[in-house]
Amino acid sequence: MNIWQNIRKIFQFESDDEREGFVLKETPREKKEAPQVGGQSGSEGDKKNSSATEGSLCSRQEGTENRGKRKKPVKVSRLQENRSSGKEAADEDGQNPPEKEGHWKKPLSLSWAQKHHNPDQVSSNLDYNKERIEEIYHLPLNKDFIIREFTVALEPPVKAFAVFMEGLSDKNLIDNQVLQPMMLFSNFHEQVDGFLLEHIQNRVLTGNQVTPHKEYEQIIGGINYGSTAVFIEGCDQALVVETKGWEHRAVDRPANETVIRGPQEAFGETLRTNTGLVRKYIRSSKLTTEMMKLGDVAQSDVAIMYLRGVANESLIREVKRRIQSIKIDAVIDSGILEQLIEDQPWNIAPQVMATERPDRVAFMLMRGKVAIFMDSNPYVLIVPVTMFDHLHTQEDYYLRPFYGSFLRLVRTLAFYVSFLTPGVYLATVLFHKEMIPTELLLAISGARERVPFPSVIEVIIMEGSFELIREAGVRVPGVMGATIGIVGALILGQAAVQANIVSPILVIVVAVTGLASFAIPSYSLQFSLRIIRFGYIVLGTMMGFVGIVFGLFVQMHMMASLKSFGVPYLAPMAPTTKSGGDVVVRIPAFSWERRPDYLNTKDDRLQGNIARGWIRKSTRKKK
């Protein structure tokens, strides 16, 4: 019997004045039924008390005494009719009104909410919500978060508070779109349409994005991203209002991918600004942007952009699968994300393209590729890519075909010179002197007559010095960096020659090699060639041209076996596929009829067979 009484006490409501701080007033109906409560069966009493704790009504008529739990929420207008009819019945007959569907329940107390409410969800008790926010953000020790308590101008007044992060939120937006409408303009409407939360969302707040959320995880994510969360007494949901307004860099000129002819704008550190720059070029409803969170602690926003109806569905699913499967606390930069999603991290060749040009991203999207944006980062990742994509620039497509083809041939030559020249020089000098003309051989021998070091030591000294000068020029800020690069190279080179540490011919070899590496448009590909260069120096020193050929064979094998999101790295040459002719030589713009075959796009046609409709039929290309 004692066990059964304990079970009944758990489900029955018993007010505790010392703990709750207020006394519940009995209604006339409760006074009438008071003697019958004790005679109710256990199941009926449990059912009645459990029903008093289900659901919460969020209307403007809920004061401190009348804000409670109910099974099914009823609109305010209906409750007002029920209450008015109940009062009339009590006045005329002297009896309590019959039970209505909109009968008020007892309010949810703070102590009950602390013990029984789900801590991951918003409670209808305002004090409990405030305690949860203070607990989550460790307030008042954490000074970045602001809690602003206020009263909503209704009859009767309703308490509320707003939470936002200082530095990420625009205070003018908060004042004009959140606080001012709720504190001054919310009483313009005599009656509340529907529930209080819906009324404030639809008719009071003037923000362009106002979203109700029940889970604290979604609310905290919005606050951390600059939005303002509004909690209202009696409402078991919070309104998240868009108030982002942090300081950011304006759209500026590209720092690394400069062009002479073409757009002069680059990405910034704001995600929506970056996606808007791309949409400025592709104004189509097919351009789709999907958002997701990355990082367990610092949840960064990542956007995946592709052209719906063109990009391969398998490619889109693979990109999303790799990003969603990442388990990490934080991803600060897109360079870290690139390392987490590339196929073979230990391969020296770059498998993902990073660009700061919106026009290049738009061009790649039109061809059927996928772009990955990351918030607070000015570089956008493009997948899949091939080796030829790293050798191309966007300016190639803006110039006439002959001009663009010439620049591509120059870059192709620079590609091989940047990593083969020092090794070929050593192989020729050490193993294959007969390949050098006699006059040149005598000049080289005379220049090296007083040099005390072997040729390989000379090359290593000069290459190491060149890398130091290049790194110093990058790290020193402003104009001093370029000055250090020029003066350092001239002074060190001249001094080394005069001191008979290196030969003049070697200074020329190293200088040509450095200039060739600067001609490579991709920064990642530059790095890989700079590292490979030292490998060819060792091979040329040990085995001559046999070592050079062996190194080329290994390098080609590594590249041929490499894939970028399922696409062969040397496509469309290995394996051979239809490329549209735009690989090494730049074809005219009116011949871009097909998208690359290796992408397996859903729509492989980029333009019609006759792009120039103005030409005469007699001169058109026959298909």
Side-chain angles (χ1 to χ4, degrees):
M1 188 62 181
N2 294 333
I3 297 176
W4 180 249
Q5 291 179 354
N6 293 333
I7 294 175
R8 289 188 60 188
K9 288 181 179 180
I10 294 175
F11 293 96
Q12 287 182 348
F13 179 84
E14 294 182 0
S15 61
D16 189 348
D17 298 345
E18 297 180 356
R19 184 180 62 177
E20 297 178 358
F22 61 90
V23 179
L24 296 174
K25 296 182 180 181
E26 294 183 347
T27 61
R29 171 177 161 277
E30 290 175 337
K31 291 180 180 180
K32 179 181 177 181
E33 295 179 356
Q36 302 176 4
V37 174
Q40 290 178 347
S41 62
S43 61
E44 294 176 353
D46 296 345
K47 182 177 180 181
K48 179 179 179 181
N49 288 286
S50 62
S51 65
T53 61
E54 296 182 7
S56 67
L57 183 62
C58 183
S59 67
R60 76 181 182 105
Q61 301 296 331
E62 289 180 310
T64 306
E65 300 176 357
N66 294 330
R67 217 166 276 117
K69 290 284 186 175
R70 56 189 310 281
K71 282 186 177 180
K72 184 178 180 182
V74 182
K75 290 189 175 182
V76 174
S77 58
R78 188 173 182 180
L79 289 173
Q80 291 173 346
E81 294 176 359
N82 293 339
R83 294 189 67 188
S84 61
S85 60
K87 288 181 180 180
E88 293 175 358
D91 294 339
E92 294 176 0
D93 303 334
Q95 299 177 356
N96 292 325
E99 183 176 357
K100 302 285 185 179
E101 185 180 3
H103 180 71
W104 297 100
K105 302 298 180 181
K106 294 184 176 71
L108 179 64
S109 64
L110 176 60
S111 59
W112 191 96
Q114 291 173 340
K115 288 187 176 182
H116 303 284
H117 189 74
N118 186 358
D120 296 331
Q121 296 181 350
V122 179
S123 171
S124 59
N125 188 281
L126 189 65
D127 294 333
Y128 175 79
N129 294 329
K130 184 179 178 182
E131 288 186 0
R132 283 290 297 142
I133 291 295
E134 292 176 348
E135 178 184 355
I136 292 173
Y137 286 116
H138 203 199
L139 301 177
L141 183 62
N142 194 345
K143 303 301 182 183
D144 290 336
F145 296 90
I146 307 298
I147 295 181
R148 173 65 164 89
E149 299 185 57
F150 60 94
T151 301
V152 183
L154 294 172
E155 287 296 335
V158 180
K159 293 183 178 180
F161 70 87
V163 186
F164 60 92
M165 182 186 296
E166 189 172 9
L168 292 182
S169 302
D170 190 342
K171 293 184 178 180
N172 293 328
L173 292 178
I174 297 174
D175 294 340
N176 299 329
Q177 298 184 6
V178 179
L179 298 178
Q180 189 175 23
M182 297 185 69
M183 299 175 66
L184 299 178
F185 307 146
S186 56
N187 58 353
F188 282 4
H189 307 281
E190 296 181 357
Q191 291 187 353
V192 176
D193 295 337
F195 303 113
L196 176 60
L197 194 75
E198 297 177 356
H199 173 77
I200 292 177
Q201 177 185 358
N202 299 329
R203 306 192 65 179
V204 177
L205 294 177
T206 60
N208 56 2
Q209 296 183 29
V210 181
T211 309
H213 290 295
K214 189 177 182 64
E215 301 291 335
Y216 270 108
E217 181 179 2
Q218 299 172 335
I219 299 171
I220 297 304
I223 297 174
N224 293 341
Y225 200 57
S227 299
T228 300
V230 179
F231 294 84
I232 306 171
E233 176 67 38
C235 298
D236 57 357
Q237 287 182 311
L239 295 175
V240 179
V241 186
E242 178 79 14
T243 56
K244 300 182 183 68
W246 58 78
E247 296 294 332
H248 59 275
R249 181 168 59 96
V251 178
D252 203 354
R253 298 171 64 94
N256 298 320
E257 299 178 68
T258 57
V259 297
I260 298 176
R261 183 170 182 176
Q264 303 295 328
E265 58 184 6
F267 290 119
E269 282 75 19
T270 306
L271 177 62
R272 286 305 183 186
T273 302
N274 294 341
T275 56
L277 289 174
V278 177
R279 287 191 176 274
K280 188 175 65 173
Y281 292 98
I282 306 177
R283 301 177 184 181
S284 172
S285 59
K286 294 183 179 180
L287 187 60
T288 305
T289 304
E290 296 188 24
M291 301 291 296
M292 57 184 63
K293 296 290 185 179
L294 183 60
D296 298 334
V297 177
Q299 296 186 351
S300 303
D301 286 334
V302 176
I304 298 176
M305 182 177 288
Y306 56 90
L307 202 60
R308 189 176 65 255
V310 174
N312 191 296
E313 294 290 343
S314 300
L315 173 62
I316 299 172
R317 288 195 299 268
E318 179 65 17
V319 173
K320 293 192 290 186
R321 184 187 69 84
R322 294 191 187 187
I323 295 178
Q324 292 173 350
S325 62
I326 296 174
K327 305 299 180 183
I328 192 172
D329 286 347
V331 178
I332 306 300
D333 188 81
S334 60
I336 301 176
L337 179 60
E338 175 184 350
Q339 301 172 48
L340 294 172
I341 63 175
E342 60 184 357
D343 292 74
Q344 298 183 19
W346 296 107
N347 196 303
I348 198 169
Q351 303 153 50
V352 178
M353 177 183 289
T355 179
E356 60 178 348
R357 297 190 60 89
D359 56 332
R360 191 170 197 184
V361 174
F363 186 82
M364 293 296 183
L365 291 176
M366 290 299 300
R367 291 201 162 192
K369 298 186 179 183
V370 178
I372 304 174
F373 296 76
M374 189 171 179
D375 193 21
S376 302
N377 193 270
Y379 283 90
V380 176
L381 305 180
I382 300 176
V383 293
V385 294
T386 64
M387 186 188 70
F388 302 100
D389 292 331
H390 290 286
L391 292 175
H392 296 171
T393 64
Q394 197 60 30
E395 190 178 16
D396 297 345
Y397 301 98
Y398 302 151
L399 299 175
R400 298 184 65 194
F402 291 106
Y403 308 160
S405 299
F406 175 76
L407 291 178
R408 288 187 178 182
L409 292 176
V410 171
R411 287 192 218 103
T412 303
L413 177 62
F415 173 79
Y416 290 103
V417 170
S418 62
F419 68 91
L420 284 178
T421 304
V424 171
Y425 168 79
L426 291 174
T428 304
V429 171
L430 298 177
F431 292 92
H432 308 283
K433 296 183 179 65
E434 67 278 2
M435 297 180 61
I436 306 175
T438 305
E439 292 78 4
L440 180 60
L441 182 60
L442 292 176
I444 294 175
S445 301
R448 295 195 68 259
E449 185 177 359
R450 297 183 179 182
V451 178
F453 303 109
S455 298
V456 62
I457 301 299
E458 288 184 77
V459 172
I460 293 176
I461 291 175
M462 288 302 299
E463 288 290 345
S465 302
F466 191 84
E467 294 296 332
L468 288 175
I469 294 173
R470 173 154 42 184
E471 186 67 15
V474 172
R475 302 308 166 193
V476 175
V479 184
M480 289 297 297
T483 304
I484 288 177
I486 297 174
V487 175
L490 292 176
I491 293 177
L492 288 179
Q494 185 67 23
V497 172
Q498 291 181 355
N500 295 323
I501 298 177
V502 296
S503 59
I505 186 66
L506 186 59
V507 175
I508 297 175
V509 170
V510 173
V512 171
T513 304
L515 291 175
S517 65
F518 286 130
I520 306 299
S522 173
Y523 183 69
S524 299
L525 187 60
Q526 282 186 28
F527 253 114
S528 65
L529 297 180
R530 287 162 60 183
I531 297 173
I532 292 174
R533 182 192 309 159
F534 289 94
Y536 280 98
I537 290 174
V538 175
L539 292 175
T541 304
M542 296 176 62
M543 295 181 288
F545 277 117
V546 176
I548 299 297
V549 173
F550 175 76
L552 289 173
F553 176 78
V554 173
Q555 184 178 357
M556 291 296 294
H557 175 74
M558 293 175 59
M559 289 188 176
S561 61
L562 184 62
K563 288 186 177 182
S564 174
F565 283 81
V567 174
Y569 195 65
L570 295 181
M573 288 190 173
T576 304
T577 59
K578 296 180 180 179
S579 62
D582 190 22
V583 181
V584 178
V585 178
R586 223 274 284 162
I587 61 175
F590 51 81
S591 298
W592 302 343
E593 298 174 357
R594 301 285 180 178
R595 292 184 171 90
D597 181 64
Y598 56 83
L599 293 176
N600 293 327
T601 56
K602 299 175 69 175
D603 183 9
D604 63 343
R605 182 172 293 277
L606 187 61
Q607 63 186 23
N609 294 336
I610 308 298
R612 298 184 298 171
W614 55 268
I615 62 176
R616 293 182 300 177
K617 293 183 179 181
S618 59
T619 60
R620 290 182 180 180
K621 181 181 177 181
K622 295 182 179 181
K623 291 290 181 180

